[in-house]
Amino acid sequence: MSHKRIPKRKAAIAVGGAAALGAAAILLPNANASQDGAEGTTAAPRTLKAGDASDLAGRLAGLLGDAFAGSYYDRDDQQLVVNVVGDDNQLVVQAKRAGAEVRQVDNSTAELESAARTLKTQATIPGTAWAVDPRTNKIRVTADSTVTGERWDTLESTVQRLGSGMATIQKSDGTFKTFASGGDAIFGGGSRCSLGFNVTAGDGSPAFLTAGHCGVAVAEWSDAQNGAPIATVDQAVFPGEGDFALVKYDDPATEAPSDVDVGGGQVVQIVQAAEATVGQGVFRMGSTTGLADGTVTGLDATVNYPEGTVTGLIQTDVCAEPGDSGGSMFTQDGLALGLTSGGSGDCTVGGETFFQPVTTALEAVGATLGAGDAAGGEEAGGEGAGAGEEVGGEGAGAGEDAGVGEDAGAGEDAGAGYQPGAGADDGSGSTETH
């Protein structure tokens, strides 16, 4: 995914493989969904785009107060489903009038948060993760392949003590680890990561967001392997309350537009940062695996990486591989949602991937995400976003421009993820990818 920097060259990104082509094929401008129910039927759920559903969820959370127990987006019906506890019929009526599908559930937000605190206290085990799943009104706990023996017994018994109606537990075949790349490749100190989104720092200087585990590892970054540094880390958080870093361009005249390169010369203009919604369809671009799509499956996720615990992440079923960290998660209509952090699995068998929310990162570092020229229409989702042959076809497939050339992400710049000692981009074993 390219986040142009002028006059430096723009790294070409590989968008290869059937998964990438499939994702590209559905990265189409979608017709505006109806934003209002039929007249006289205010109690009927409204048809909403995912971004509008997220906004409505935020408003209803404030309206319902303690009765609000989470929400999710039903992609099939294009409706917001809101969980409500208690028997206050007036609140239910108000939520329905606002356009949501209302569902009565047993577990309140406070009870779910209390259960998550118990997990943190009693089961903070490397290789585990948990997040609230509003579709089941439970906490979904995941353990990777390293959680065995006594550690599995501890985790399982803790979940059981929470009660069958409070949490579920599942196994992942992979191993939770930080990825690192996605978008344009950036290099520093023998490591490789990816630029997430270009932003404007609080002092007005051009900068970009990337993964925090990249920012704490290396202070200076280049846009070319073995090249001169072009940007310096200003702030970085990892592990702890997030996985994000603000990196300022050394040249204050750098032009850093807000867009994402989806391959084949096509870009998606980024309009604004937004909150993710469970059930929302999303795209991820990575310099290792190209374009991939999937669904948000959990919010406020806690992940116990080998390096430490990270909280407040977005959980998804979008695939990713080593070399994809720091890259952008976004929607087809130009909403910036997340920065690739880590996860398990790969783009062959699938897995779980976690993202740092962009909104939280921007607030923490005091930066803003510029809208550039993206106002919607063709630039935000039309010709620029590409589809069919333009994004997933001849221009973006396995040809010289998007496949295996020097700049394409499958050759010298391909990387292999955050695996110290592996992923030698220059054939010498000297470059680690994050």
Side-chain angles (χ1 to χ4, degrees), residues 41-86:
T41 58
T42 56
R46 294 164 59 194
T47 299
L48 300 166
K49 292 186 293 185
D52 296 325
S54 178
D55 292 340
L56 178 59
R59 294 196 299 270
L60 287 177
L63 172 68
L64 297 174
D66 293 341
F68 181 79
S71 63
Y72 64 94
Y73 183 61
D74 185 328
R75 294 177 65 184
D76 292 334
D77 293 335
Q78 292 185 292
Q79 294 174 351
L80 176 70
V81 180
V82 175
N83 294 335
V84 175
V85 294

Side-chain angles (χ1 to χ4, degrees), residues 8-238:
K8 287 287 186 178
R9 67 174 179 83
K10 179 169 65 179
I13 303 303
V15 188
L21 296 180
I26 62 173
L27 188 54
L28 291 164
N30 59 339
N32 287 333
S34 170
Q35 299 302 304
D36 298 292
E39 291 185 14
T41 58
T42 56
R46 294 164 59 194
T47 299
L48 300 166
K49 292 186 293 185
D52 296 325
S54 178
D55 292 340
L56 178 59
R59 294 196 299 270
L60 287 177
L63 172 68
L64 297 174
D66 293 341
F68 181 79
S71 63
Y72 64 94
Y73 183 61
D74 185 328
R75 294 177 65 184
D76 292 334
D77 293 335
Q78 292 185 292
Q79 294 174 351
L80 176 70
V81 180
V82 175
N83 294 335
V84 175
V85 294
D87 55 2
D88 190 329
N89 188 60
Q90 184 177 1
L91 290 178
V92 171
V93 170
Q94 289 183 44
K96 288 182 176 179
R97 284 179 175 172
E101 174 76 21
V102 178
R103 188 178 68 153
Q104 294 280 351
V105 296
D106 296 327
N107 298 321
S108 68
T109 297
E111 289 170 329
L112 292 168
E113 290 176 346
S114 176
R117 288 193 295 270
T118 299
L119 287 166
K120 180 179 180 180
T121 301
Q122 301 181 15
T124 296
I125 300 167
T128 62
W130 51 81
V132 173
D133 183 355
R135 290 169 299 188
T136 62
N137 189 228
K138 298 178 182 179
I139 296 176
R140 182 174 54 206
V141 181
T142 307
D144 73 14
S145 59
T146 67
V147 182
T148 59
E150 291 184 4
R151 294 195 299 172
W152 170 259
D153 292 341
T154 298
L155 180 65
E156 188 175 40
S157 62
T158 302
V159 170
Q160 289 174 348
R161 286 195 298 272
L162 295 176
S164 60
M166 186 60 67
T168 61
I169 187 170
Q170 62 185 29
K171 269 279 194 179
S172 173
D173 292 333
T175 301
F176 290 149
K177 54 186 177 294
T178 52
F179 297 135
S181 195
D184 285 351
I186 53 176
F187 304 85
S191 297
R192 179 175 180 266
C193 280
S194 286
L195 187 154
F197 294 99
N198 282 316
V199 299
T200 300
D203 61 2
S205 62
F208 62 83
L209 295 176
T210 190
H213 60 268
C214 302
V216 299
V218 178
E220 295 183 321
W221 292 90
S222 171
D223 61 353
Q225 188 175 356
N226 300 319
I230 63 164
T232 303
V233 174
D234 181 72
Q235 303 175 52
V237 174
F238 178 84

Side-chain angles (χ1 to χ4, degrees), residues 245-259:
L246 176 70
V247 187
K248 291 185 177 180
Y249 289 108
D250 296 333
D251 181 358
T254 297
E255 296 182 27
S258 297
D259 59 27

Side-chain angles (χ1 to χ4, degrees), residues 322-340:
D324 286 334
S325 272
S328 316
M329 180 174 74
F330 59 100
T331 67
Q332 64 182 16
D333 52 355
L335 300 180
L337 300 180
L339 307 167
T340 308

